[in-house]
Amino acid sequence: MIPVPSGVRVWLATGHVDMRKGFPGLSLMVQETLKRDPNSGHLFCFRGRRGDLLKIIWHDGQGACLYTKRLERGRFLWPSVADGAVTISPAQLGYLLSGIDWRNPQKTWRPTSVG
């Protein structure tokens, strides 16, 4: 998992991206499409056409990082193209990277009253 410092936002670029792109190409997309600075320290997430590949670019203050994850089964749940760019919390990013529906995670355990 990426160590996300406090105050860092996680941006999802809606739609799909050519996954052959590296940091320079994805940084250009952040600048032109999302209208953000790729060196700001925020995380920018991109999904491939099939939905099983995710790339995250992040500038940690020392240099550019490119994180890639491919799911062996399932797909990364992604917002619709009409949404533009979506920001999520670091906790939601953890769900997303695990292949869990980050929009509505379900608790599997509920405390019972002490009686």
Side-chain angles (χ1 to χ4, degrees):
M1 179 63 188
I2 298 171
V4 182
S6 63
V8 170
R9 298 182 78 180
V10 180
W11 293 90
L12 304 182
T14 60
H16 61 271
V17 174
D18 182 356
M19 288 286 108
R20 294 175 292 183
K21 292 185 180 199
F23 190 83
L26 295 174
S27 294
L28 187 62
M29 288 192 68
V30 169
Q31 290 174 333
E32 293 182 350
T33 307
L34 302 179
K35 307 292 188 223
R36 304 278 177 220
D37 178 12
N39 298 321
S40 64
H42 298 298
L43 279 73
F44 300 96
C45 307
F46 302 90
R47 190 183 83 152
R49 182 180 295 274
R50 290 187 312 192
D52 64 342
L53 182 62
L54 182 82
K55 284 190 175 182
I56 301 173
I57 61 170
W58 174 43
H59 195 281
D60 65 359
Q62 296 177 344
C65 304
L66 178 62
Y67 178 84
T68 305
K69 181 163 185 178
R70 181 183 306 273
L71 291 177
E72 292 180 8
R73 292 188 310 242
R75 294 185 170 179
F76 293 107
L77 296 173
W78 215 245
S80 66
V81 177
D83 294 332
V86 175
T87 183
I88 62 174
S89 71
Q92 288 173 313
L93 176 63
Y95 288 127
L96 174 69
L97 292 175
S98 298
I100 298 171
D101 186 354
W102 55 270
R103 299 167 297 185
N104 188 21
Q106 300 293 318
K107 291 183 181 180
T108 58
W109 177 82
R110 295 190 180 177
T112 58
S113 61
V114 178

